[in-house]
Amino acid sequence: MLIDTHTHLYLPDFDEDRTDIMDRCEKTGVKRVYLPAIDSRTHESMLKMELEFPEMVYSMMGLHPCSVKENFEEELAICEKYLGDRKFVAIGEIGIDLFWDKTFVEEQKIALIRQCNWARDLDIPVVIHSRESMDLIIQILKKERIQGLTGIFHCFTGSTEQAMEAIKLGFNLGIGGVLTYKNTKLGEHLIPVPMEHLVLETDSPYLTPVPFRGKRNESSYIRLVAEKLAQVKDIDIHDVERITTENALRIFKN
Ligand SMILES: [Zn+2]
């Protein structure tokens, strides 16, 4: 059994064949997928997908750092309303993105801290997007000292040192398609990192693993990431499946 801890299967990219994709998940042993929210343009389609596949799909709620703009307070208020209405498995995805656009970096920080505090109040984990910002986020989390906060640094591509720092803070690392890329040192960096802190993800439709790189990603491809991780860690694929599944269930408490 495998779990995709981070996949945007509710996006329009999958409107034509979502049912086929979920069938392929079933067939390849991907029994659960977790959907990170982006912003108010897609919250409803995410929740609709969760209703369509209630046994397999779990939604998070939050404001993506790339969607933090002038109107971020309104967007946060919308998230808060959803969070008041029902239970979610995590606050996500939240964080800071310094790759695309730095205009709203201060607002991104405010939104990150606010949403981390929601997670603490609700006693649920956070799923963090940290593109080009891992050290900054670690620094913020240390400074804020948000009691009992836990979660996942999604799409982890950092160094061994950064991985260990995140783990020390109570976090786990989401490993995706990047691990299969030819030019990456990620595999090497993960060798000393304990398996107990690793979970698998696709980030579909992005970051497609080899040999499908360049095409649309989907959750059944997570098996390619699991195979690569088994190779990197020199352990059996069944151990990768078992341990990453246990980790995901522990983190999301469900
Ligand atoms: Zn994502």
Side-chain angles (χ1 to χ4, degrees), residues 6-8 36-38 64 93 129 154 203-204 206:
H6 194 114
T7 180
H8 301 277
I38 298 173
H64 192 293
E93 62 182 288
H129 170 112
H154 119 78
D203 202 16
S204 305
Y206 318 107

Side-chain angles (χ1 to χ4, degrees), residues 39-40 43 61-64 67-68 71-83 91 94 107-116 118:
D39 60 33
S40 64
H43 291 333
M61 181 49 64
L63 181 60
H64 192 293
S67 297
V68 172
N71 68 337
F72 81 103
E73 286 290 0
E74 276 163 53
E75 284 285 337
L76 287 177
I78 292 168
C79 293
E80 242 185 323
K81 169 127 187 27
Y82 279 112
L83 289 163
I91 302 289
I94 63 175
E107 289 81 356
Q108 289 189 41
K109 286 182 197 168
I110 295 168
L112 169 66
I113 296 167
R114 180 99 47 88
Q115 295 182 91
C116 284
W118 293 348

Side-chain angles (χ1 to χ4, degrees), residues 54-71:
E55 304 287 304
M56 289 175 77
V57 172
Y58 298 84
S59 291
M60 309 176 199
M61 181 49 64
L63 181 60
H64 192 293
C66 295
S67 297
V68 172
K69 311 275 185 213
E70 297 89 344
N71 68 337

Side-chain angles (χ1 to χ4, degrees), residues 32-36 50 53-60 89 254:
R32 262 179 199 229
V33 302
Y34 289 87
L35 306 179
E50 190 187 40
F53 305 94
E55 304 287 304
M56 289 175 77
V57 172
Y58 298 84
S59 291
M60 309 176 199
V89 287
N254 73 346

